[in-house]
Amino acid sequence: MKKIGIFYGSTTGTTLEVAQEIARQLDVKAEDVHDVALAAPSAVADYDVLVIGASTWGAGDLQDDMATFLDGLQSLDLEGKEVAIFGCGDDSMSDTFCNSVGEIYHRLHDTKAMFIAPFNNDGYNYQHSDSDVHGMIVGLCIDNVNHADE
Ligand SMILES: Cc1cc2nc3c(=O)[nH]c(=O)nc-3n(C[C@H](O)[C@H](O)[C@H](O)COP(=O)(O)O)c2cc1C
């Protein structure tokens, strides 16, 4: 069976909550859910599937801890690993909605990881998002600020 590790960057706890919910859904143990503020990029070596998520801050900026984590991760060879991306944002920030999902995707592009779990952008409400690549969202974008019920 493939071993799944969840790596999240969260400033006020929303992405942490989503990471824990994903862990419940996928039956991932708490010890395999990592706050990237405390994890070394080399920790990904233990896993076949990496579920990587972060929120968006500032004017479309990647959450700080995830930015630092990716500085290390993006220089590793991730050939053979599958990567699924998620992120939390606020679609009232309509020009930068969940940009972090796109930044994670672009920064890991040269690692040879295989990206899984793209999403259709139907039903989303934004003008622009870096997560939208040719009409597909490259991960799961979640807005718990305005659409917690979804
Ligand atoms: C100052 C500030 C800037 C933000 N900028 C963006 C943004 O550019 N795009 C976006 O989608 N969300 C933005 N957000 C919304 C956060 O990403 C959202 O609240 C998220 O749930 C926070 O997750 P976290 O607690 O895991 O860090 C911003 C929020 C604040 C307070």
Side-chain angles (χ1 to χ4, degrees):
M1 212 168 98
K2 288 179 181 171
K3 190 167 182 199
I4 302 172
I6 299 176
F7 294 82
Y8 69 88
S10 181
T11 301
T12 60
T14 308
T15 312
L16 159 65
E17 283 173 25
V18 173
Q20 289 172 334
E21 179 58 26
I22 291 172
R24 270 191 291 276
Q25 298 287 339
L26 298 180
D27 215 10
V28 172
K29 292 190 194 119
E31 69 205 38
D32 296 315
V33 181
H34 303 273
D35 179 350
V36 296
L38 307 170
S42 57
V44 304
D46 291 343
Y47 303 101
D48 307 298
V49 181
L50 311 175
V51 180
I52 302 178
S55 48
T56 300
W57 285 89
D61 301 331
L62 184 57
Q63 195 269 347
D64 284 346
D65 305 316
M66 181 58 76
T68 304
F69 185 74
L70 289 186
D71 286 343
L73 190 63
Q74 71 186 109
S75 61
L76 300 182
D77 182 348
L78 300 181
E79 188 164 17
K81 302 214 184 281
E82 296 177 16
V83 171
I85 305 170
F86 70 100
C88 294
D90 177 341
D91 72 6
S92 70
M93 299 184 200
S94 183
D95 289 329
T96 56
F97 177 56
C98 279
N99 268 11
S100 288
V101 168
E103 183 161 349
I104 294 168
Y105 172 79
H106 289 295
R107 285 181 62 173
L108 295 182
H109 196 264
D110 292 337
T111 60
K112 302 189 198 140
M114 183 167 76
F115 295 99
I116 58 174
F119 281 79
N120 196 302
N121 64 11
D122 283 356
Y124 281 98
N125 187 25
Y126 54 78
Q127 296 296 318
H128 173 89
S129 172
D130 288 350
S131 71
D132 189 318
V133 178
H134 307 307
M136 288 295 286
I137 301 179
V138 294
L140 175 62
C141 293
I142 294 173
D143 179 350
N144 264 355
V145 180
N146 306 297
H147 308 286
D149 52 325
E150 296 173 20

